[in-house]
Amino acid sequence: MARLLPGTRALRTLEAAARHLNFTRAADELGLTPAAVSHQIKEIEDQLGIVLFTRTSRTIRLTEAGAVLFEASTDALDLLGRAVSRAHKLARGTALLKVTLDAQFATKWLMRRVDDFRKQRPGIELRFDIASELRDFDLDDVDVGIRFGAGKYPGLCTHRLFDNIIIPVCSPSLLASGLPLREPRDLFHHTLAHIEWARQGVTWPNWRMWMAAAGVDDFDDSRTIVFGTSTDAVQAALDGNAVALADFAMVASDLSEGRLIRPFELGIKVPPDFAYFLVYPIASANDPRIVAFRDWLLNEVHNPQPEPTLG
């Protein structure tokens, strides 16, 4: 019977083809050609002696037998993936802690402080998985994560890190250009940068919202530049090309070290449902590595560097 079972590679091809019901899309996902996908499906059918797909000149669809094997292959691949993840974690021992987080949090906040953790906990080796997509703790070889979202993650412990306050920032060189920033309307003479982000009915603060909060009701946003990420918007400010709206926590070090200044005190809070959260599986809550990292991180969050005053 074992000789009749398709291998893992064949199961992946079957699962992708059945999920897409299209050999071309399955091939794109698997890095194969459509002909190779079709050939592998034919090999599985010949091996099992079962027709899995009915084919026409333009479409394919699963047979009843194919649907049974599609469901089973999905479950089998998921089970194998979880087992491989657990095996990796067991094989690397208890000294290594893998942290998954996005690039902005890594570069603008964590990497500036991580040496302190290493000094306090020399027996724990930190490794980072920099990714914008969410990792699955059961499938991916990671232990803890820092995620921006609503904090509703079933099966995970969550710790809120920051209240997100969006403030205007710019480079000192921009003010040295001769165009002052004494009142909000002075911003009309500068290029303004912000990001465009909305989720679950929540919109990330933009310049129109900031101007409204500042009492400016005739703002023309034609001079604004919209970026896809906060990192790009902040970089435009660092380069002296724009005044950007930025998350205070993510630019605190730039402010304290004088690379950016805060021309106006007014900030806008992101609705409290959304924030950065430290997350990890409930089953790992007593892992000494995670406890050490959690306690250090929360202490760092609650003891921020002081913000300089404008000169």
Side-chain angles (χ1 to χ4, degrees), residues 81-93 98 139 141:
R82 294 174 190 276
V84 168
S85 175
R86 289 197 299 273
H88 275 300
K89 291 174 183 177
L90 289 171
R92 58 179 163 85
K98 284 196 174 182
L139 292 174
D141 186 21

Side-chain angles (χ1 to χ4, degrees), residues 45-281:
E45 291 177 326
D46 291 343
Q47 179 184 2
L48 298 178
I50 299 171
V51 176
L52 302 176
F53 294 88
T54 56
R55 302 162 174 84
T56 68
S57 59
R58 295 188 177 184
T59 63
I60 62 171
R61 61 184 179 86
L62 284 166
T63 63
E64 290 187 13
V68 169
L69 284 179
F70 170 45
E71 181 179 357
S73 64
T74 301
D75 292 342
L77 290 170
D78 181 70
L79 182 62
L80 281 171
R82 294 174 190 276
V84 168
S85 175
R86 289 197 299 273
H88 275 300
K89 291 174 183 177
L90 289 171
R92 58 179 163 85
T94 59
L96 179 64
L97 184 70
K98 284 196 174 182
V99 183
T100 180
L101 68 167
D102 66 38
Q104 175 178 246
F105 195 96
T107 59
K108 297 308 246 181
W109 199 90
L110 186 62
M111 296 306 178
R112 299 172 182 266
R113 296 166 170 82
V114 74
D115 281 348
D116 180 67
F117 176 82
R118 289 179 170 134
K119 290 175 183 177
Q120 291 186 33
R121 298 287 182 168
I124 300 176
E125 179 185 356
L126 288 181
R127 289 189 187 172
F128 300 102
D129 169 63
I130 308 300
S132 56
E133 64 270 17
L134 297 185
R135 299 304 195 193
D136 186 326
F137 289 102
D138 289 333
L139 292 174
D140 298 310
D141 186 21
V142 295
D143 300 302
V144 299
I146 297 171
R147 297 177 176 176
F148 184 83
K152 299 175 182 177
Y153 305 113
L156 301 183
C157 294
T158 62
H159 301 273
R160 185 187 181 91
L161 299 182
F162 304 115
D163 288 326
N164 297 94
I165 301 175
I166 309 307
I167 62 170
V169 294
C170 66
S171 167
S173 65
L174 184 139
L175 289 188
S177 67
L179 296 174
L181 287 176
R182 298 190 183 93
E183 60 181 48
R185 286 184 179 278
D186 291 336
L187 288 163
F188 290 9
H189 305 296
H190 294 272
T191 299
L192 307 179
H194 65 263
I195 66 168
E196 190 173 81
W197 184 93
R199 189 177 299 170
Q200 299 178 21
V202 173
T203 299
W204 194 263
N206 54 38
W207 276 110
R208 182 171 293 280
M209 295 165 65
W210 189 92
M211 289 291 183
V216 178
D217 56 10
D218 58 344
F219 174 62
D220 178 6
D221 59 7
S222 62
R223 291 182 60 86
T224 62
I225 299 177
V226 178
F227 287 97
T229 68
S230 294
T231 300
D232 292 334
V234 171
Q235 189 60 51
L238 287 166
D239 291 341
N241 297 323
V243 183
L245 286 179
D247 186 342
F248 172 74
M250 294 299 104
V251 295
S253 293
D254 291 312
L255 290 166
S256 66
E257 294 166 15
R259 287 185 295 274
L260 291 173
I261 60 175
R262 183 176 177 176
F264 301 104
E265 287 299 313
L266 176 64
I268 302 178
K269 285 188 175 182
V270 175
D273 288 347
F274 285 87
Y276 274 105
F277 290 86
L278 173 69
V279 298
Y280 49 86

